[in-house]
Amino acid sequence: MFRTIGDGPSPWGSLLPPELLRLPEELARVDALLDDPVFFAPFAAHFHPVIGRPSTPVECYLRLMFLKFRYRLGYESLCAEVADSICWRRFCRIPLDGRVPHPATLMKLASRCGQEAVAGLDEALWAKAAGQKLLRAGRVRADTTVIAANVAYPADVGLWPRRWPGWCARCGGCRQRAGPRAPR
């Protein structure tokens, strides 16, 4: 069953001091960006809307994947860090008394949704950035031209052994010229 938004904050969150409720500036900007429901749409095709177990909320999954990419963490270390940090729990919209998704769950979601969801997220991000005039999409160009080249591997390192017999033949017998004291 497809879920976009989690259960909401727990009652324990209201007991925290205001200093713990604030997100760092970078996370606050990303949090505001990821609140847009347009980022949930690429995942809807991979889940049935009613039948099945409730999935990990997409808002939580997106935020977890941002932290994984931003801080170069593995799935296990990501889950451990989120479980230990109140700030990261709030960013990922995981209540204080809630459980962090298991690393295997995140891996299965990543393989289930695959590249189609990532491509949909990229398109949504480009459209949002162009709509807010953060970039000029008309002037962005990517060149992916592939040109065949006559390259024989191994490169320069492999040239010496292949050319050595030809050089010796042209030279007319290097060993004869060097005399009897030439190293072998």
Side-chain angles (χ1 to χ4, degrees):
M1 181 169 73
F2 184 59
R3 292 192 318 162
T4 57
I5 298 175
D7 298 332
S10 71
W12 297 106
S14 63
L15 299 175
L16 293 174
E19 295 84 28
L20 291 176
L21 297 178
R22 267 187 252 119
L23 290 175
E25 183 180 336
E26 178 188 12
L27 291 182
R29 287 193 323 247
V30 173
D31 185 50
L33 177 73
L34 291 178
D35 274 341
D36 193 351
V38 74
F39 293 114
F40 304 154
F43 294 95
H46 300 282
F47 296 94
H48 194 278
V50 179
I51 299 174
R53 285 179 34 193
S55 66
T56 301
V58 175
E59 70 173 352
C60 175
Y61 177 72
L62 284 175
R63 286 166 169 77
L64 284 167
M65 290 301 103
F66 170 77
L67 291 174
K68 180 183 181 307
F69 175 77
R70 171 67 176 89
Y71 295 104
R72 298 180 181 178
L73 299 171
Y75 288 104
E76 290 84 9
S77 57
L78 170 70
C79 293
E81 290 293 326
V82 171
D84 286 343
S85 172
I86 293 174
C87 178
W88 281 15
R89 272 182 175 268
R90 289 192 45 78
F91 174 71
C92 293
R93 311 273 170 94
I94 300 172
L96 291 177
D97 57 347
R99 291 185 1 201
V100 176
H102 194 270
T105 303
L106 298 177
M107 287 185 245
K108 287 177 186 176
L109 282 172
S111 65
R112 180 179 192 171
C113 298
Q115 293 300 319
E116 299 106 25
V118 173
L121 287 173
D122 287 343
E123 290 297 322
L125 186 62
W126 278 99
K128 186 167 177 113
Q132 293 179 356
K133 299 190 180 190
L134 297 174
L135 59 95
R136 294 182 182 163
R139 296 185 184 204
V140 173
R141 179 176 171 218
D143 186 15
T144 59
T145 305
V146 178
I147 300 173
N150 188 9
V151 177
Y153 290 100
D156 297 338
V157 175
L159 291 177
W160 178 258
R162 285 191 293 173
R163 299 291 183 206
W164 181 252
W167 290 334
C168 287
R170 284 190 204 134
C171 164
C174 297
R175 191 165 298 286
Q176 292 172 356
R177 288 187 184 167
R181 298 177 56 103
R184 296 189 181 244

